[in-house]
Structure formats: structure tokens, C-alpha cells
Amino acid sequence: MKKITYLMLFAFLVSCSRDTTFEYPVFPQSDVVDDYHGTLVADPWRWLEDPNSQQTNDWIAAQNAVTMPYLESLPGRDILKNRLTELWNFPRYSAPSRHGDLYFYYYNDGLQNQSVLFKQTDLDGEAEVLIDPNTFSEDGTVSMSSVAFSSEATYMAYAKSVGGSDWREFFVRNVTTGEDLSDHIQWVKFSGVSWDKKEEGFYYSRFPQPAEGELLTAPNRNMKLYYHKLGTSQEEDILVYERPDQPDWGLYGTVTDDGQYLIINITQGTDPRNRVYYKDLTRANSRVLPLMDAFDASYSFITNEGSTFYFRTNNDAPKYRVISVEASRPQPANWSTVIPERESVLNGISVVANRFVANYLTDARSEVFVYAMNGTFEREIELPTIGTASGFSGRKQDSEMFYSFASFTYPSTIFRYDFESNESTVFRASEIDFNPDDFETKQVFYESKDGTTVPMFITHKKGLKLDGSNPTYLYGYGGFNISMPPSFSVGNIVWLEQGGVYALPNIRGGGEYGREWHLAGTKERKQNVFDDFIAAGEFLVSEGYTSPSKLAIGGGSNGGLLVAATMIQRPDLFAAAIPAVGVLDMLRYHKFTIGWAWASDYGTSEDAEGFEYLFAYSPLHNLQEGVRYPSTLITTADRDDRVVPAHSFKFAAELQQKHGGNNPVLIRIETNAGHGAGKPTSMVIEELADRWAFLAKELGLRIR
């Protein structure tokens, strides 16, 4: 493989022919070698971990100088971009939520970079703009990442995120006048705010301010819980709870609906197991007391009736149950089961109209049931088809609620449910310029390497011939107890319209079948996740959907790890791969920002056993010299402070050096963007056009 120095690169024009010999930037390698429990491991690209160095910036510019012209010149890219823009240009609504006497919802007229927050007193009346995040920046890269209304909706706290960063800055707006107050909160990550009942202030959590130059890389530890009183400076905020002896604990406060208690959720990284403490807000100087004081299970607070608290938990119920706990007798022996565990996973639960609304996952698709507060089953809420219900919005005293429903070819639709009539009616429907009747979705079940049965959704045009000739995009995640139910994607519709197949397997590591399904894909069992994904690809080939020369894989974040690991383990099975914002250096991931928090799923190289299994699959460390890897488009962003871009940088540099084929292995580096949340519409469309054009070229799909 021919190479040139990066100083010469900017004059180099990349040809579009499939057998192009790509010329990648050449940069010096370091002689860094780490000793992991007696095993020496070289890290020649360590210098790419410094986002502030000139050398790293030069490397980024050099890579983009190869990647961007190539992507922009791909056949059919303009057609794809135009169709994406055309399809995206439709009105979109969120489910309304009610606070005080007002309704609030998000609305996007189609191509706005950020959705706008509206308020109105009557959903049949006139709506008024409350906040338009498109005014935060000219290019739409400053987003509104969260909002919280006070009890009577006199005020709202809202957060801004710059360039997709996880860092949040909170401001306070008077809902009636639309004017901002002087309040300004900084150094918040992963925390919203929760108002007190009197609307005098709110609770929030924050990290210490990072050192200069380390904003996007420094580890985030020592979270503290504060109370902010309106009209005061952040320096005057009252420290409510801290645990300096436990720097890895996350502390999150939620005020109960009646304003009597502060529920403190205590986490340790991304481990679903948590502790729960509480504070009586009706008594001055009350102490923080424990309810569940062991990291033995997951406990999600639902609501309270006086001093009786209700939780969704997988304690003695791997697929979750609902329990009640009396504050004066919090010992497990005194807990009462309100809604017992079922065969399906209790994916989420809320209280509306003084009833429990329980959202279950049955083979990764939604079923919704209503229970009385004593746990008596009342009814099932009928859903339009196989798909996903989410975003349930309503208060304990309301007689109505709103929810969203979507599936792979069923655009997100907002329904209003009336508890008295037990009827759901369409409140807002998406009108998109495509015909859903042209497509079909099947759910299949296949066998993984160890005999485990895994479900998979497959969507394609009706009349598909199972002759192995269909370009197929296999997407996956497989981690952190996160389920992958059916969802609607404008981007995927464009792929399907072109004749592509979209496949989504519900592999281990996710939460589709409860705690055991998640644990089966963690730590030393992580290889199960890769085996499940590989088996999905083998199934698609054996059943005639596609063939290795027509099969591509994709995934983001932990899914980026999935894609990179499987393309290395089975380069013969896949023609193309798109690992997005992936965790790719498994020996050092825990040293940056919030990476340490993922140890519950991954383990770390700090102990010998963890090093052994991480080293065995770490994408960065398992690339082999001279192997022809699938055509690869690595994607990341320069302001990603969730999975720092050094992962993708180092992997791309190593892949380009060792790759033994003439097919492309490129990296696309977005500027002024982060891990994905809050990304402006214009940026999303550009990235999708690049993705589909790249895959079309590599899978031999002619764009029409």
C-alpha cells in the first residue's frame, strides 16, 4: 500500500474507482510501551489522545482531506442527500406534557436544526413559542438538552449544550414573560434539575470544574448534589449531599410530586444496580436517610403516597416487578409486591390518573397494561401494530395521557389516551412522503454460536427475492442493559427505498429479556455479543437475504465497539463496516471523561483477569498486518466527550497501516459536534448521505 507524507496530502486527489489504491497520511509513531501484568503492549498512537496538540490537529486535517473529497464525489450521493432532505421536511411533534395549567411540546417544521419548545393553554387553541434553540447559534450546533418546569409552571430551567458536549449550562426562564432570570448553573453533566414544591429553587448535581485544557478529556468524578435558590449565584448554592469517600458515586435528586421528600438515586457508573436514599423536606435540617443501602439490584422510583414509596425493581425479579416500601420500615422483609414479575420485561412504568401504566417488552416489542394502585390488572391499551410505545406523559391527577408509537415503517405518531373511555385517538400524525405499504417487517429467531436463540427484525421492500443479491445493513448495539426495539428512521427509509435490507438483532448485553440477558454480554462474557452479531450475519446469508459481498454492519458508541470487533474477527463475512463514535481502545477507555463508569459492563485492564479478556477482543489491539479488512468508514467528532475521539483516531491510524487491501478504510471527523445528542438536522443529513453513498458503492447498489 503506497503512502505519502501528510504535508503532500493536501494536493492529492482521490479517484472514485472501486480498486483505487488509497494513500493515507503518514505520521510518526511513538515508542510508548505499557506493562499490563507482565505483558508489554505498544501504543504507537498515544499522541493522538491529546486533542489540543498541533500534531493531532494536523492529523485530523490530513484524514479529512482524504475522506471528504472521496465521499462527496461518490455516485448517487447528491440523489441520496436530496431524498433525505425531501423526506426530512415534514412537521414533527413530541408528546405534550402538562405543568400547571399549561401544555408544552416540541415542534419542528421539518428542516429546522433544533426543535422549538411551544406552550399553550388549550391544545385546540393558539400555541406560543417559549424557547427556540435555533437562535442559540447560527449553525444549530448549540442545543437545548433538557428542561424542567416548576410545579405551577411559573418557571422553567433549561440546559444548553455546545457542540454536542455532555457538559450542560442551566438557565431559568419566566414562563409567562418569556424572559430569562439571572440564574446560571455550570459544570453539570448527566443531571437534570428538580424543583421544590414552592417554586423557590431546584436541586441539581454537578462535577468539579475541570482543569484548563482538559474540558473534553478529564475524568468526571466526585459528583455532588446541590440546592439552588432562585436569584442567587451558583457560589451560594447549598450542598445537600456528597460522598468524598466514594468518588465514583453519582448522586441525583428528585422531589416527589407532593413536595414532601427528596429521593436521592445513587449510582456507581453505568451499573444498573443502585442505592436509594431520601430526605424529608417538610422538616428543617432533616438528615439524608437510606431506603435501599446496597448495590444489589436496580431500583427506579415511581411515585409515593405519603411515606410509602413505589419502585420498579429487579430484586428477586430478573424481569422486574413493582414494590412498595414504607419509609419507617425500609428493610426488604417489609416490602410488598404490588405488580408481580411477568414473563415479559417491565421496561418502564409511570402513574397517570391514579393508575400504573406499565410498558412491557415482549420479544423486544411493546405491550402496555393499566393497573390500579393496589396492583389489580385493569386493561390493555391496544397499539396499532408491532412496534414501540414510549414517552408516556401525564400527571397523577390527570384523566388523559399522551404517548408516542413508532415502528420501522410506521412514522412516530402521538396518541391521546382517555382513561374514562379506554380509547386512544391520534393526536398528531407524521405525514411523510413515502408509502409504508411498499415495505414489510418480519421478526425471525436464529441460533447463536452457543445455541442461544436471538430475535431479529428484518425490514425490506415487499416481494424481496431471497437470492443472496440484496445489499443489507445489519445494525446492532448489545450493551449496558439498553434494549433495541422497533423505531422509525427517515434515514433508514431512504436505504429501504433504494432496495436495501435493514436488519436489527436483539443481541445479548441489552435489556430485551431482563437482567440475565444483559449480564450474559458483560465482562468476560462480552464475546457472546460479538458471536450473536456474527450469527445474525450468517443467518442473513444462509437464508438468502444477502451474501458477504453485499453485507454491511453498523453501530454507534458501544455499537461501534461491536462493529469493529466483529469486522476484525470475521473480515470474510462483511463487505463494509461503519463503526461510529466507538469504544475501540479497551485497555485505556476508563482513563477519559466518564469512561471509568463503563467498568460494570466491560471490566478494566487494571486487574489481570480484566486485561486478559479485554486484550483478547480490543479492536485497536487485534488488527493483523496484511489482512484485507472490510471497507470501513469510521465516524467520530472532535467534541465528543462521552467516547473521546482518540479511540477512533488511534484505530483508524492502526487500521490504515495494517490493512492489506485496496478497498477504502477511512475516517470521517465531524467538527463542532459531539457524541450525537443535539446534532443539528443539516449535519445529520450530510452524515447519512455519506454513509449510504459509501455503502452503496461498496455493496454495488446503484442509486436511482
Side-chain angles (χ1 to χ4, degrees):
M1 184 167 52
K2 220 176 141 188
K3 297 183 179 179
I4 58 175
T5 66
Y6 71 94
L7 292 176
M8 299 165 56
L9 182 66
F10 298 96
F12 177 70
L13 298 176
V14 180
S15 166
C16 284
S17 64
R18 190 170 186 181
D19 59 354
T20 296
T21 299
F22 283 81
E23 304 195 33
Y24 304 112
V26 174
F27 278 72
Q29 300 180 46
S30 69
D31 57 1
V32 174
V33 176
D34 295 310
D35 186 337
Y36 291 96
H37 314 285
T39 299
L40 300 180
V41 180
D43 193 356
W45 310 108
R46 178 71 60 83
W47 55 271
L48 282 169
E49 292 179 356
D50 182 2
N52 302 311
S53 76
Q54 186 59 50
Q55 191 174 27
T56 298
N57 289 328
D58 289 343
W59 185 89
I60 292 172
Q63 292 289 348
N64 276 342
V66 171
T67 301
M68 295 308 188
Y70 176 75
L71 294 176
E72 290 170 2
S73 64
L74 285 173
R77 185 190 182 279
D78 289 343
I79 296 175
L80 290 166
K81 180 182 175 182
N82 290 339
R83 182 56 176 155
L84 284 163
T85 303
E86 182 181 32
L87 276 184
W88 224 288
N89 194 14
F90 71 96
R92 297 186 293 282
Y93 297 84
S94 71
S97 61
R98 194 171 185 180
H99 306 273
D101 295 325
L102 296 170
Y103 289 94
F104 300 88
Y105 63 92
Y106 289 95
Y107 171 76
N108 192 305
D109 65 12
L111 296 177
Q112 289 176 290
N113 279 322
Q114 303 291 340
S115 294
V116 180
L117 181 62
F118 282 81
K119 67 174 183 177
Q120 58 189 119
T121 55
D122 183 345
L123 288 174
D124 294 322
E126 291 294 321
E128 180 182 346
V129 173
L130 181 55
I131 295 184
D132 182 358
N134 296 289
T135 63
F136 293 169
S137 61
E138 291 185 4
D139 59 0
T141 56
V142 180
S143 63
M144 185 166 64
S145 53
S146 68
V147 299
F149 294 93
S150 60
S151 59
E152 298 302 319
T154 305
Y155 306 105
M156 66 169 290
Y158 68 96
K160 290 183 180 180
S161 169
V162 179
S165 170
D166 281 334
W167 287 112
R168 307 286 188 256
E169 291 186 57
F170 276 91
F171 303 86
V172 177
R173 178 159 295 193
N174 184 305
V175 173
T176 301
T177 67
E179 297 179 352
D180 280 358
L181 282 62
S182 61
D183 304 76
H184 182 201
I185 304 297
Q186 295 179 285
W187 312 120
V188 177
K189 263 192 183 186
F190 315 121
S191 171
V193 308
S194 186
W195 288 84
D196 63 20
K197 189 68 172 179
K198 296 180 179 179
E199 301 188 304
E200 294 176 346
F202 52 78
Y203 297 87
Y204 73 98
S205 303
R206 76 172 190 244
F207 289 105
Q209 180 178 347
E212 186 175 353
E214 298 181 3
L215 179 68
L216 301 178
T217 57
N220 306 132
R221 286 188 166 93
N222 294 297
M223 178 182 277
K224 298 178 182 181
L225 177 61
Y226 288 89
Y227 175 76
H228 173 76
K229 186 175 178 61
L230 286 186
T232 65
S233 68
Q234 187 170 13
E235 289 72 24
E236 300 174 76
D237 288 352
I238 299 169
L239 178 63
V240 177
Y241 195 64
E242 66 174 334
R243 287 300 294 264
D245 60 321
Q246 299 291 345
D248 290 348
W249 282 14
L251 310 172
Y252 305 91
T254 300
V255 178
T256 57
D257 289 339
D258 58 14
Q260 293 186 37
Y261 297 97
L262 177 70
I263 304 297
I264 302 176
N265 183 35
I266 300 175
T267 64
Q268 194 160 28
T270 53
D271 193 329
R273 298 173 297 180
N274 61 307
R275 301 180 185 222
V276 180
Y277 292 3
Y278 74 101
K279 179 181 174 66
D280 188 341
L281 299 180
T282 65
R283 293 169 46 232
N285 302 316
S286 62
R287 295 190 299 123
V288 171
L289 300 173
L291 272 177
M292 291 89 169
D293 202 15
F295 287 116
D296 61 345
S298 170
Y299 303 95
S300 300
F301 175 71
I302 305 170
T303 190
N304 71 301
E305 294 288 339
S307 60
T308 300
F309 302 103
Y310 294 86
F311 291 90
R312 166 183 170 268
T313 182
N314 58 9
N315 183 299
D316 290 332
K319 295 183 179 179
Y320 298 92
R321 60 177 171 146
V322 175
I323 62 171
S324 63
V325 180
E326 175 58 47
S328 63
R329 299 184 302 128
Q331 298 79 11
N334 299 319
W335 299 351
S336 296
T337 295
V338 180
I339 301 177
E341 180 184 26
R342 298 170 57 110
E343 282 299 313
S344 300
V345 174
L346 179 55
N347 192 49
I349 191 163
S350 55
V351 175
V352 187
N354 287 304
R355 295 172 176 88
F356 290 110
V357 180
N359 188 358
Y360 286 89
L361 278 183
T362 302
D363 291 330
R365 48 192 174 84
S366 288
E367 291 182 328
V368 182
F369 302 107
V370 178
Y371 296 85
M373 291 301 293
N374 64 4
T376 301
F377 173 80
E378 291 191 353
R379 70 196 73 154
E380 179 178 359
I381 296 178
E382 292 187 12
L383 301 176
T385 183
I386 293 174
T388 303
S390 61
F392 293 89
S393 171
R395 300 175 298 183
K396 188 182 291 188
Q397 69 269 29
D398 291 341
S399 60
E400 65 177 0
M401 74 174 180
F402 298 88
Y403 65 93
S404 176
F405 182 85
S407 193
F408 297 106
T409 57
Y410 192 106
S412 182
T413 301
I414 308 301
F415 287 87
R416 177 186 179 272
Y417 177 78
D418 187 293
F419 281 88
E420 293 182 5
S421 65
N422 187 28
E423 290 183 352
S424 289
T425 54
V426 173
F427 177 69
R428 295 283 187 269
S430 300
E431 297 180 2
I432 304 178
D433 183 24
F434 87 107
N435 185 6
D437 294 333
D438 291 343
F439 308 96
E440 63 179 319
T441 296
K442 301 174 184 176
Q443 187 176 37
V444 300
F445 295 84
Y446 65 91
E447 192 173 285
S448 190
K449 182 178 181 180
D450 64 356
T452 298
T453 299
V454 182
M456 176 165 58
F457 295 103
I458 305 174
T459 304
H460 52 75
K461 280 185 175 180
K462 290 179 179 177
L464 184 80
K465 293 182 179 180
L466 300 181
D467 57 5
S469 67
N470 305 294
T472 299
Y473 183 58
L474 175 63
Y475 185 86
Y477 188 78
F480 297 97
N481 200 38
I482 295 174
S483 300
M484 301 296 287
S487 63
F488 183 80
S489 163
V490 172
N492 288 346
I493 293 298
V494 172
W495 175 252
L496 294 170
E497 285 183 334
Q498 291 293 333
V501 175
Y502 178 79
L504 176 67
N506 298 108
I507 57 183
R508 281 173 284 185
E512 289 88 348
Y513 291 104
R515 180 170 59 197
E516 300 307 318
W517 193 254
H518 168 225
L519 293 178
T522 60
K523 295 186 175 179
E524 72 276 8
R525 300 170 293 274
K526 187 68 175 178
Q527 184 60 42
N528 288 335
V529 182
F530 310 140
D531 290 342
D532 289 357
F533 201 54
I534 289 169
E538 292 173 335
F539 176 89
L540 291 167
V541 171
S542 67
E543 294 298 309
Y545 285 95
T546 191
S547 58
S549 65
K550 299 286 186 177
L551 179 56
I553 51 177
S557 196
N558 174 75
L561 162 63
L562 169 72
V563 169
T566 52
M567 67 173 264
I568 290 171
Q569 294 182 15
R570 288 295 305 276
D572 61 307
L573 183 59
F574 311 111
I578 302 187
V581 293
V583 187
L584 307 175
D585 181 350
M586 300 309 298
L587 302 186
R588 289 176 57 79
Y589 78 86
H590 58 290
K591 295 182 178 293
F592 304 97
T593 61
I594 202 64
W596 60 266
W598 312 330
S600 59
D601 251 54
Y602 296 147
T604 75
S605 60
E606 300 295 329
D607 65 88
E609 182 184 4
F611 166 74
E612 184 176 351
Y613 60 72
L614 288 168
F615 193 47
Y617 73 76
S618 176
L620 178 64
H621 301 96
N622 281 277
L623 290 163
Q624 302 297 315
E625 186 78 40
V627 173
R628 184 192 184 280
Y629 289 105
S631 300
T632 306
L633 179 61
I634 303 161
T635 63
T636 188
D638 63 349
R639 290 184 59 82
D640 188 346
D641 52 0
R642 181 85 56 87
V643 180
V644 293
H647 284 276
S648 295
F649 294 172
K650 293 166 70 174
F651 182 70
E654 188 76 357
L655 177 61
Q656 289 175 349
Q657 183 190 62
K658 291 186 173 178
H659 178 49
N662 292 330
N663 54 311
V665 286
L666 305 170
I667 182 168
R668 182 188 189 279
I669 306 163
E670 192 73 75
T671 56
N672 204 22
H675 198 60
K679 187 176 288 187
T681 299
S682 57
M683 198 176 284
V684 173
I685 289 174
E686 292 286 346
E687 185 174 345
L688 282 170
D690 288 342
R691 178 209 292 174
W692 296 139
F694 181 83
L695 292 185
K697 182 71 163 57
E698 298 308 313
L699 304 186
L701 174 64
R702 184 179 177 184
I703 302 300
R704 294 178 173 83

